[in-house]
Amino acid sequence: MAASPLQASHPMSAKEISLKAADFQFNPFIALRYWLRTADTLLREAHIYEREHNDPQAYLLLMRYANLVAEKFPEHPAARLPENRQAMKAAQRTLLEVLDRLEVLKPRIDMRYRSWQKTLERRKEAAAALEGERPPSRSRLEYAASDPAVAGNSMTLAAAENSELAVKMAHMEIRRRDAARRASRHTGVSEEDEQERRTAGLWDDWEAALSQDGQRSLRRDDQMQLNMEASRRRLDGSHDILPEGLNTRPSKAPPRTARPDQRSVDRNDRQRNGHSEYRYPSIAKSQPFTYDEDSYNTRARSNSPRRVLLPPKPPKEKLESSGSSIQPPRKPNKSLAESVDSPGVSASTDPSSFTFRPSAYLENGNPLRTVFLPPTLRSEFLAHAAPNTRRNLETCGMLCGTLISNALFISKVVIPEQESTSDTCDTINESAFFDYCAAEDLMVLGWIHTHPTQTCFLSSRDLHTHSGYQIMMPESIAIVCAPSKNPSWGVFRLTDPPGMQSVLNCRKTGLFHPHDEANVYTDALRPGHVCEAEGMEFSVVDLRP
């Protein structure tokens, strides 16, 4: 039965959100281009949350961006390389506007928090006057209070249990955004301004500028360093976070940041591992946190992964032979009218009036937003991949979509230009893919690829590829289609921990190398954070020549 709309226990203060924003691991061994794309994703998400009036989550994402740019990026070994100089300068320019936006959001957040504190005090006084009164159990809500996206919101809904509402609302919102983009093209808005408004910080094409700018610039580097130091001082002096003299300039979408080196994500290391056999990682069930209503505590369900020893030199790492870890498609969920008690909520309701709760949690306890996946997406993608599949060649596509009310909706599969073998698929001409995403205001939510003759699993090189996506967005998924095997498909993510850390710290090469951890990746379908949503509209866009 679907959950009723609820209010998460209380809002968070700006100081609490700031501490949470700083709670992430920065790995300098990850290529700087991935971190730059991560920063861009943070800006895009923050812009959407702010547009939906979800100030706490926008504040968290902007704070994390500021921490990355001001504190972490200068420490990266590649930060001063010529090929990254332009991107670093663009990020620094954007940082100044981000700090201004934080100054606008902070008083709104703290005002709401103080209002809640006063209300709580009055309720306590009233409760104390009523002898023997017991407060109701709020264990689910207390846990949600640590997530700024839902803490203190007037109404939160369980996304998966209300998928019919979510799909209808997503269709309306996506059409509204499309109409707004089309209208902007008839109002004399320049192409550059339109791009900036749409993307809130997607990559610019900076390679050409770099070739002209190459030799200018110890003075610019020195100025950039001074700006970094000034930004750090602003952050250090404002951990609560910002000075009293607040800038009241209206918040606006940040300028576009620069696109980092658009080298292909290389899954095609062609030197095979020379060992005759080793133990491959097995896949465990997704392990979301569950709520114990009686004890007010959360606990995690855990399944011990099994290891499977395979024959010598297999072309891919094998998934557990049992198909039990792959969840069959579920029946469409009840509509909101049948599942919640609020008649005022419908598909036409403004997305800013309610928020979808996280549907699962990482192994470290961090929330995962629901990803809505069209059930027919796999078959449509396989139809486009069929010519390659018949020739025993892999095909890959990018899962793109948008963020609405704290849930992620996959609305397009974009097939970029690529080069394939029986075991690998490398994207080429990535600039065309990013240009398309910019024009359509799309976020990258993961990827999908085929195993023409192999089983359904993530190879060691697949794991390294996916770590780049999951760094950018924890909810990113990898869909594997193995049409000739059973199970024929799966939806996966890296465990965190231990999978993300194991893969990111791995320095081994070759297509078929083992990782030290057994539980490297897991099924992301429910009870994970991915929900198949009947009726979710999508399209396949083939950019191949």
Side-chain angles (χ1 to χ4, degrees):
M1 181 177 177
S4 298
L6 299 169
Q7 179 174 2
S9 58
H10 64 78
M12 299 175 71
S13 67
K15 183 175 182 179
E16 290 172 328
I17 298 172
S18 300
L19 292 172
K20 193 169 185 65
D23 185 20
F24 70 96
Q25 291 185 339
F26 181 78
N27 188 329
F29 293 107
I30 298 173
L32 183 60
R33 70 180 186 275
Y34 290 125
W35 282 119
L36 287 165
R37 288 178 182 175
T38 299
D40 175 73
T41 300
L42 293 174
L43 283 182
R44 292 171 61 86
E45 293 184 56
H47 178 60
I48 293 175
Y49 278 112
E50 191 172 357
R51 189 171 62 204
E52 294 178 349
H53 309 295
N54 193 330
D55 292 345
Q57 185 67 5
Y59 191 82
L60 180 142
L61 294 168
L62 292 173
M63 275 295 300
R64 188 161 289 174
Y65 177 91
N67 187 289
L68 274 173
V69 174
E71 297 289 340
K72 304 301 183 183
F73 284 178
E75 300 173 358
H76 197 282
R80 298 184 71 85
L81 294 179
E83 59 266 29
N84 294 321
R85 185 176 296 141
Q86 189 77 7
M88 290 289 291
K89 290 175 183 175
Q92 173 59 29
R93 288 193 299 270
T94 304
L95 175 61
L96 300 177
E97 289 212 21
V98 165
L99 293 175
D100 287 343
R101 293 173 71 194
L102 286 169
E103 291 178 352
V104 172
L105 292 173
K106 178 181 182 293
R108 301 207 298 248
I109 293 170
D110 281 340
M111 183 181 299
R112 185 185 186 194
Y113 181 73
R114 287 192 297 269
S115 176
W116 169 80
Q117 283 184 315
K118 291 178 181 178
T119 302
L120 181 64
E121 290 173 2
R122 289 195 296 268
R123 289 178 178 175
K124 284 182 177 179
E125 292 172 359
L130 300 175
E131 188 175 353
E133 182 176 337
R134 285 183 58 189
S137 168
R138 298 186 305 168
S139 58
R140 294 178 72 127
L141 307 182
E142 290 294 340
Y143 192 79
S146 64
D147 181 4
V150 299
N153 281 355
S154 59
M155 182 183 295
T156 63
L157 301 176
E161 283 78 357
N162 294 291
S163 64
E164 185 174 334
L165 165 77
V167 167
K168 291 179 180 178
M169 184 266 300
H171 290 164
M172 295 183 67
E173 179 64 12
I174 290 171
R175 290 183 185 120
R176 185 197 66 77
R177 295 180 189 178
D178 287 344
R181 287 198 299 274
R182 287 193 299 270
S184 70
R185 294 168 185 167
H186 301 287
T187 58
V189 176
S190 69
E191 183 178 348
E192 183 174 341
D193 286 343
E194 179 190 351
Q195 196 89 315
E196 181 177 321
R197 293 178 187 182
R198 281 200 308 245
T199 63
L202 192 65
W203 310 116
D204 195 0
D205 192 352
W206 58 273
E207 290 91 338
L210 177 61
S211 64
Q212 301 171 4
D213 191 50
Q215 298 298 323
R216 301 178 193 166
S217 159
L218 276 178
R219 284 180 301 177
R220 285 192 186 177
D221 287 346
D222 292 341
Q223 184 61 46
M224 183 174 72
Q225 187 64 33
L226 290 174
N227 289 342
M228 288 285 191
E229 293 299 331
S231 299
R232 285 175 177 153
R233 285 194 295 272
R234 290 183 71 179
L235 287 172
D236 291 342
S238 61
H239 186 66
D240 208 13
I241 100 174
L242 295 162
E244 291 299 326
L246 295 176
N247 185 342
T248 57
R249 186 173 65 184
S251 173
K252 62 181 180 179
R256 288 175 293 166
T257 53
R259 183 183 301 161
D261 181 11
Q262 291 184 346
R263 288 176 290 175
S264 166
V265 178
D266 185 7
R267 301 171 49 238
N268 197 19
D269 185 338
R270 306 187 188 279
Q271 296 180 352
R272 294 178 177 252
N273 191 299
H275 297 290
S276 60
E277 67 179 45
Y278 56 85
R279 292 185 180 271
Y280 294 81
S282 59
I283 174 172
K285 283 276 195 176
S286 182
Q287 302 172 10
F289 278 71
T290 56
Y291 300 99
D292 187 341
E293 297 290 347
D294 297 327
S295 64
Y296 290 13
N297 294 318
T298 59
R299 54 186 169 84
R301 293 195 298 268
S302 61
N303 296 308
S304 300
R306 295 176 292 169
R307 290 189 172 190
V308 182
L309 189 64
L310 299 182
K313 283 191 176 179
K316 290 279 190 174
E317 296 170 42
K318 188 177 179 182
L319 180 69
E320 287 182 356
S321 59
S322 171
S324 61
S325 63
I326 306 299
Q327 301 294 325
R330 291 176 176 260
K331 296 180 180 179
N333 293 302
K334 295 180 179 180
S335 66
L336 185 75
E338 298 174 299
S339 60
V340 298
D341 301 328
S342 176
V345 180
S346 68
S348 60
T349 302
D350 185 347
S352 65
S353 64
F354 65 91
T355 300
F356 288 118
R357 294 192 294 273
S359 57
Y361 294 82
L362 289 171
E363 289 73 13
N364 61 18
N366 288 336
L368 289 171
R369 296 164 294 189
T370 299
V371 174
F372 285 103
L373 172 69
T376 58
L377 182 146
R378 302 183 312 278
S379 59
E380 290 288 333
F381 173 71
L382 285 173
H384 283 76
N388 275 358
T389 303
R390 286 192 293 269
R391 292 183 292 158
N392 193 27
L393 297 175
E394 284 195 3
T395 307
C396 69
M398 304 301 168
L399 304 174
C400 300
T402 192
L403 167 68
I404 304 172
S405 296
N406 203 45
L408 299 161
F409 296 83
I410 297 174
S411 58
K412 275 187 172 61
V413 180
V414 183
I415 304 178
E417 293 186 53
Q418 53 197 265
E419 294 176 342
S420 302
T421 72
S422 59
D423 298 318
T424 63
C425 183
D426 293 326
T427 59
I428 58 176
N429 191 16
E430 278 195 318
S431 61
F433 167 69
F434 284 110
D435 288 344
Y436 179 81
C437 289
E440 297 297 319
D441 195 12
L442 294 171
M443 302 171 66
V444 180
L445 307 180
W447 60 305
I448 181 172
H449 73 289
T450 58
H451 284 180
T453 61
Q454 306 301 325
T455 54
C456 179
F457 65 100
L458 293 179
S459 72
S460 54
R461 295 306 300 170
D462 292 341
L463 296 173
H464 283 268
T465 297
H466 188 65
S467 66
Y469 291 97
Q470 206 164 313
I471 278 288
M472 289 187 281
M473 182 180 290
E475 292 85 1
S476 294
I477 58 174
I479 301 179
V480 180
C481 297
S484 65
K485 304 298 179 182
N486 185 23
S488 62
W489 67 285
V491 184
F492 308 116
R493 66 168 175 86
L494 295 176
T495 56
D496 187 8
M500 276 287 284
Q501 293 73 21
S502 175
V503 173
L504 292 176
N505 293 321
C506 176
R507 300 292 173 264
K508 299 173 183 175
T509 59
L511 285 173
F512 312 112
H513 62 268
H515 292 94
D516 296 333
E517 297 289 343
N519 184 26
V520 178
Y521 67 103
T522 187
D523 183 7
L525 281 171
R526 295 188 70 188
H529 69 293
V530 177
C531 172
E532 286 199 293
E534 292 288 344
M536 182 66 200
E537 295 176 359
F538 75 100
S539 59
V540 179
V541 178
D542 198 335
L543 300 181
R544 294 175 296 180

